[in-house]
Amino acid sequence: MTSSETEFVSILGPAERADSPRISARSLPESVPVLGLSDIVIFPGAVVPLLIETGPSLKLIDDIVTGDRLFGAVLQRKPEVVEPSPTDLYQVGCVTRLAKMVKFPDGTARVLVEGLWRIRVKDYSHPAPYLRATYELLRDETEDSIELQAMLRNAHRQFEEIARMSSALSEQVKIAALNTEHPGHFADLIAANLNLTLEDRQRLLETVSVRERLSTLLPMLNREQEVLTLSSKIQNDVASSIAKTQRDFFLREQLRAIQRELGEGDAGSGEIKTLRDKVDMVAMPEEARKAALQEIERLQQMPPASPEYSIARNYLDWILGLPWEKTTEDKLDLREAERILNDQHFGLRKIKDRLLEFLAVIKRRRQIKGPILCLVGPPGVGKTSLGKSVADALGRKFARISLGGMRDEAEIRGHRRTYVGAMPGRIVQTLRRIESRNPVILLDELDKVGADFRGDPAAALLEVLDPAQNNTFTDHYLDLPFDLSRVLFIATANWLDPVHPALRDRLEVIELAGYTETEKLEIAKRYLVPRQLHEHGLTRQDLKLNDGTLRKLIREYTREAGVRQLEREIAALARKAARKIVSHNGSPVSVKADPSVLEKLLGHPPFVSETAERITEYGIATGLAWTPAGGDILFIEATRMRGRGNLTLTGSLGEVMKESAQTAVSYLRSQAKKLDLDFSDYGKSDIHIHVPAGATPKDGPSAGVAIVAALASLLSKRRVRSDTAMTGEISLRGRVLRVGGVKEKVLAAQRFGLKQVILPDANKPDWLEVPAETRSRLKVHFVRQISDVFPLALAAK
């Protein structure tokens, strides 16, 4: 394999061809050694330097130096082949004469060769160590026509223009182009020096017809001319832009010097003066004022066209736009605040009392750091809307920041100014937008915050939601402390488990359980129905909904902790009423949605007001569960079959729930005689415990009582009462332990039409948190031991 030493190619002019010793076609030998070229095509008349590196190629050069110095130069099909075979070479090449050779100590040789004639290889022989081939000469097929002369002149003109614009072509090539009149020689000159691919050059070498060769070259010349023209234009534009920038800089500096001598301000002094006046007028801490003045000094030294100018200007706008000392006056009328809260939200006594206490403390002592409240409860109970009511009651501005799906720490703290397009975080942006340093900011969906390679927003919230630290909250963009202690932050979440423990420790958690049926009825009458009538353009005369209709909606068309589905059902009735009114061409018509016609309007009820399933078999018990969407009931099913004493647990159960089932089996086996349970053939039978809704993961210890009741029912052949639900953790000693979420679970029992609940004795204080209406409808049994459960849960034989 042989490569070109440089990209320089010289073409002998007519004078050189005439004066240099030439070899006639008749004196050429019948066969010549063949040298494979990896990255160059040699044309007749071209003088090319080559680098010889491989052993066979060096041997070929040594052999021809002492002889006629002739060899065939043929392009390889694959440049990476070191010792090419006949199949690796093209058929058309060039008979070439060795003009000069210089050997170097590293074993390589530099040679200068001259192309003589086009040849087509006929056959190869393989004398070691290089190829030898017989060939036939390919003479130029030319013609004396006006068309060929026109093509030659066009090629001359285009090549001269390329030579004028390109610095890569040598003066020798340019002179040769001016002095070459033969069409074939000129085509070879262009092909050898134009910026072409090896495939294009090989194709031109194989083209014997001069007319076809020029036809192929003309589009290539035109493309090269366009590329060079565009490149020259781009270079001139860049040069002129740089020259203009330098000229503007020098003129601006001269103008500033002249203005300083005259005692006048510079051209940008108007804007700088305006910024200084704003800094003097805006009330801000001394540290922020000092940073703003420093930035103005930097801005004064920059030309307005500089990219840094707009960055500094934007930073100043943020500093000057923040409400460093701007506040809104709190309403300190407790009665008015209580009225506003009661008008906008029904119930929620605990949160209302907490806010009124906060207002009372402000009235006694004006300087108080805002608490960090966190409202935790199922969807649809009014957590988000409560934030706006709090702001109205306090007379403060309100803003909501949605944290759901947030994964970038910079969303809270902002980006550093080194980044392109940097901005402050959402906290600072919100404060600037509402122009107050003591607003009510609702951090919605705190439990939906994520984390990835860009950081953990929950970690950034640790400073924001810490009353002991947030008086010096530092945004990365501002790099200045801002006092957030006057902000009343209210966070919302469906549950606290996903919240970072350190962040949870900073929150004052207020739990909002689901609404009772009476509370839902009042909410529907006071808020939902009037809102839907207004949104659908109806009046109370257009759509009449009585208490019986609303109760049926609540009982049979919804089963939720909140009221969102209830509002959707009311909206469906409003739409049907609006359609009926429009269908009567505006004539007075009233839609009276009585309970009797509700099924006709909304379809078959998806729920029934009775308990979800009447227990008619052994081994089934009703348990109570807590979910982020509120309380729910679940059924524990147990069965027995012939086997080897194995226990099978199914229903997407977590590890804790599986351990509860194993504990229940162990307890019943240990107390079998005392409880009169049949375990005589335990080793010959298997027990299978299943919790339906297998696609829903379930875990936690509170199903222990329900599991042990289902197993006791199976083994004692006594059915569990259909109207009774139970919850509680169990131990191997037979104790019933305290569980959480009692309020939500009891409300779920009422929603599903149950009459009795069994709770751990340690949960008596939680029973008092249950609304009085629910407590009056349910009979509660508190138990300390598992043995106390069976008389209450199991029916008589």
Side-chain angles (χ1 to χ4, degrees):
M1 181 175 69
T2 302
S3 61
S4 62
E5 186 176 11
T6 66
E7 293 187 1
F8 171 75
V9 179
S10 173
I11 298 291
L12 296 176
E16 295 174 280
R17 293 177 187 271
D19 297 340
S20 60
R22 297 298 304 274
I23 297 177
S24 66
R26 294 180 179 179
S27 61
L28 291 174
E30 292 184 0
S31 66
V32 290
V34 176
L35 181 67
L37 305 177
S38 62
D39 60 355
I40 190 171
V41 176
I42 299 178
F43 287 85
V47 179
V48 182
L50 299 177
L51 174 64
I52 310 298
E53 296 177 299
T54 61
S57 299
L58 288 169
K59 174 64 175 169
L60 184 151
I61 296 299
D62 289 340
D63 290 349
I64 65 173
V65 165
T66 57
D68 55 10
R69 297 195 170 199
L70 299 178
F71 65 93
V74 182
L75 180 67
Q76 298 176 192
R77 299 181 185 274
K78 297 180 179 179
E80 65 273 9
V81 178
V82 177
E83 296 183 11
S85 63
T87 57
D88 296 323
L89 300 173
Y90 284 96
Q91 279 193 314
V92 177
C94 184
V95 172
T96 308
R97 180 175 63 182
L98 177 66
K100 292 181 182 179
M101 180 183 72
V102 179
K103 287 194 173 182
F104 291 89
D106 61 356
T108 62
R110 270 72 169 175
V111 299
L112 190 67
V113 300
E114 175 194 357
L116 300 176
W117 300 91
R118 278 182 174 78
I119 61 170
R120 177 179 283 110
V121 176
K122 296 168 63 179
D123 193 19
Y124 283 98
S125 59
H126 300 270
Y130 48 80
L131 298 173
R132 196 172 186 90
T134 58
Y135 59 91
E136 62 173 329
L137 288 178
L138 300 177
R139 300 180 183 275
D140 286 351
E141 296 177 359
T142 185
E143 59 187 53
D144 188 11
S145 66
I146 297 176
E147 184 180 359
L148 185 61
Q149 289 299 318
M151 293 172 68
L152 178 62
R153 290 183 184 181
N154 193 16
H156 258 294
R157 179 180 56 78
Q158 287 188 325
F159 191 74
E160 287 174 8
E161 186 66 22
I162 291 172
R164 183 183 62 80
M165 291 188 291
S166 175
S167 59
L169 296 176
S170 65
E171 289 299 322
Q172 184 181 1
V173 172
K174 296 176 182 179
I175 293 171
L178 293 173
N179 297 327
T180 301
E181 296 295 337
H182 189 278
H185 296 165
F186 185 73
D188 290 343
L189 168 67
I190 296 174
N193 290 278
L194 202 61
N195 186 18
L196 303 177
T197 63
L198 289 175
E199 289 75 11
D200 288 340
R201 288 182 177 176
Q202 179 64 28
R203 183 154 53 91
L204 291 168
L205 182 68
E206 295 174 358
T207 304
V208 179
S209 170
V210 175
R211 185 171 179 276
E212 290 183 15
R213 207 181 307 161
L214 284 173
S215 297
T216 305
L217 275 171
L218 283 174
M220 298 179 181
L221 284 168
N222 188 49
R223 182 190 63 188
E224 185 69 15
Q225 184 179 356
E226 289 179 356
V227 170
L228 289 173
T229 301
L230 183 58
S231 176
S232 176
K233 181 179 181 302
I234 293 172
Q235 188 174 1
N236 291 337
D237 290 345
V238 172
S240 62
S241 175
I242 294 174
K244 183 179 183 303
T245 302
Q246 292 174 340
R247 174 178 173 275
D248 292 347
F249 175 77
F250 288 125
L251 289 176
R252 193 174 291 106
E253 290 300 315
Q254 291 175 0
L255 181 61
R256 287 180 178 173
I258 293 170
Q259 288 172 337
R260 281 195 297 269
E261 289 295 326
L262 295 174
E264 299 175 356
D266 57 17
S269 61
E271 184 178 10
I272 298 298
K273 185 177 183 303
T274 302
L275 290 173
R276 290 186 186 276
D277 292 342
K278 285 185 178 180
V279 171
D280 293 337
M281 289 187 297
V282 174
M284 64 176 68
E286 192 58 35
E287 186 176 355
R289 190 181 306 280
K290 183 179 178 181
L293 291 175
Q294 288 178 348
E295 200 67 21
I296 290 175
E297 290 296 329
R298 289 184 62 245
L299 195 68
Q300 195 170 6
Q301 304 302 320
M302 298 179 193
S306 170
E308 288 291 326
Y309 188 91
S310 61
I311 295 175
R313 185 70 172 81
N314 193 41
Y315 177 68
L316 280 170
D317 287 341
W318 275 103
I319 292 181
L320 297 174
L322 285 176
W324 298 95
E325 303 292 341
K326 190 183 298 184
T327 60
T328 54
E329 186 176 353
D330 289 328
K331 294 179 183 177
L332 301 179
D333 188 341
L334 293 183
R335 291 183 179 179
E336 178 64 15
E338 186 174 10
R339 185 192 64 79
I340 293 174
L341 290 174
N342 289 333
D343 285 347
Q344 297 183 2
H345 283 81
F346 181 80
L348 305 178
R349 188 71 262 161
K350 194 172 183 180
I351 179 65
K352 290 176 182 177
D353 289 342
R354 179 62 185 88
L355 293 170
L356 292 173
E357 291 165 4
F358 171 68
L359 198 59
V361 175
I362 293 179
K363 192 170 183 177
R364 296 288 297 174
R365 186 175 184 270
R366 294 302 181 104
Q367 296 297 327
I368 180 175
K369 294 182 178 180
I372 313 299
L373 305 179
C374 182
L375 309 180
V376 180
V381 295
K383 299 185 300 296
T384 303
S385 61
L386 189 61
K388 183 68 170 65
S389 299
V390 171
D392 292 341
L394 295 176
R396 294 188 178 189
K397 294 186 177 181
F398 173 77
R400 173 180 170 272
I401 299 176
S402 177
L403 302 180
M406 186 180 290
R407 294 180 175 272
D408 189 356
E409 179 196 1
E411 291 278 351
I412 303 297
R413 288 193 175 276
H415 300 83
R416 301 189 185 277
R417 280 194 292 157
T418 52
Y419 296 106
V420 177
M423 291 184 67
R426 300 276 291 278
I427 302 292
V428 172
Q429 290 182 38
T430 300
L431 292 172
R432 181 187 178 182
R433 188 178 70 251
I434 61 180
E435 299 179 344
S436 174
R437 61 173 291 200
N438 66 333
V440 175
I441 295 182
L442 183 77
L443 302 176
D444 211 7
E445 307 294 354
L446 182 64
D447 54 333
K448 309 302 189 303
V449 174
D452 60 12
F453 64 93
R454 293 169 295 184
D456 186 358
L461 285 171
L462 292 177
E463 181 183 2
V464 176
L465 300 181
D466 191 342
Q469 300 180 29
N470 62 8
N471 60 332
T472 57
F473 170 72
T474 302
D475 186 275
H476 286 160
Y477 180 82
L478 293 178
D479 201 22
L480 293 170
F482 191 94
D483 186 5
L484 298 179
S485 62
R486 303 288 297 277
V487 179
L488 174 58
F489 287 104
I490 299 178
T492 71
N494 293 129
W495 59 325
L496 286 177
D497 284 6
V499 180
H500 194 284
L503 183 58
R504 198 184 315 163
D505 185 60
R506 288 161 166 78
L507 304 174
E508 182 179 339
V509 177
I510 300 176
E511 295 186 355
L512 283 74
Y515 295 117
T516 64
E517 180 180 312
T518 302
E519 288 174 333
K520 290 182 181 181
L521 178 62
E522 288 298 322
I523 292 172
K525 290 164 61 177
R526 295 188 186 188
Y527 310 108
L528 305 185
V529 172
R531 182 162 62 212
Q532 290 304 319
L533 290 177
H534 175 73
E535 290 182 1
H536 290 81
L538 303 174
T539 66
R540 291 188 177 273
Q541 299 303 319
D542 296 329
L543 177 62
K544 297 179 180 179
L545 297 173
N546 55 36
D547 289 2
T549 302
L550 293 175
R551 286 188 184 278
K552 188 168 184 179
L553 280 176
I554 295 167
R555 293 173 181 172
E556 301 183 11
Y557 287 86
T558 66
R559 184 150 290 167
E560 57 180 343
V563 291
R564 282 186 181 150
Q565 183 61 33
L566 176 59
E567 185 169 12
R568 282 192 284 268
E569 297 296 339
I570 295 172
L573 292 175
R575 289 195 300 272
K576 294 184 181 300
R579 178 183 176 184
K580 185 174 181 180
I581 293 171
V582 173
S583 300
H584 283 73
N585 298 321
S587 59
V589 63
S590 176
V591 177
K592 189 175 182 180
D594 289 333
S596 57
V597 300
L598 205 54
E599 187 169 338
K600 181 179 179 182
L601 294 173
L602 297 180
H604 187 72
F607 308 103
V608 291
S609 58
E610 300 298 328
T611 183
E613 178 179 331
R614 181 161 183 83
I615 298 174
T616 58
E617 301 176 14
Y618 307 129
I620 301 176
T622 306
L624 295 173
W626 179 93
T627 71
D632 201 354
I633 67 170
L634 52 83
F635 293 97
I636 310 296
E637 299 176 351
T639 189
R640 196 175 187 184
M641 67 211 82
R642 300 180 68 83
R644 299 181 179 180
N646 296 326
L647 175 63
T648 304
L649 304 171
T650 58
S652 296
L653 307 185
E655 290 299 320
V656 176
M657 200 166 180
K658 289 179 180 179
E659 290 173 1
S660 295
Q662 293 166 351
T663 303
V665 172
S666 299
Y667 171 78
L668 292 177
R669 288 183 63 191
S670 66
Q671 302 292 323
K673 184 178 292 186
K674 182 178 179 180
L675 298 174
D676 192 22
L677 301 177
D678 181 15
F679 270 101
S680 58
D681 58 345
Y682 179 76
K684 298 179 181 180
S685 61
D686 292 343
I687 294 178
H688 185 168
I689 299 176
H690 176 69
V691 182
T696 304
K698 310 168 193 70
D699 204 1
S702 63
V705 168
I707 293 174
V708 78
L711 289 171
S713 168
L714 176 69
L715 297 170
S716 65
K717 305 297 184 183
R718 297 167 62 188
R719 287 191 295 273
V720 176
R721 298 179 187 274
S722 299
D723 62 349
T724 303
M726 58 206 77
T727 184
E729 182 180 356
I730 60 173
S731 71
L732 278 176
R733 292 180 295 165
R735 296 178 58 200
V736 178
L737 307 179
R738 178 188 177 94
V739 293
V742 169
K743 185 177 180 181
E744 289 81 359
K745 293 175 180 177
V746 172
L747 289 173
Q750 181 199 354
R751 284 201 307 273
F752 281 87
L754 298 168
K755 304 300 181 185
Q756 301 184 78
V757 291
I758 299 175
L759 301 177
D761 188 70
N763 284 112
K764 280 184 178 179
D766 298 308
W767 174 252
L768 301 177
E769 295 292 327
V770 177
E773 176 198 352
T774 301
R775 282 183 289 164
S776 65
R777 293 190 176 189
L778 291 174
K779 184 176 182 180
V780 62
H781 304 281
F782 295 103
V783 294
R784 293 186 179 183
Q785 300 291 327
I786 296 176
S787 57
D788 298 336
V789 175
F790 302 142
L792 300 171
L794 301 180
K797 288 187 178 180

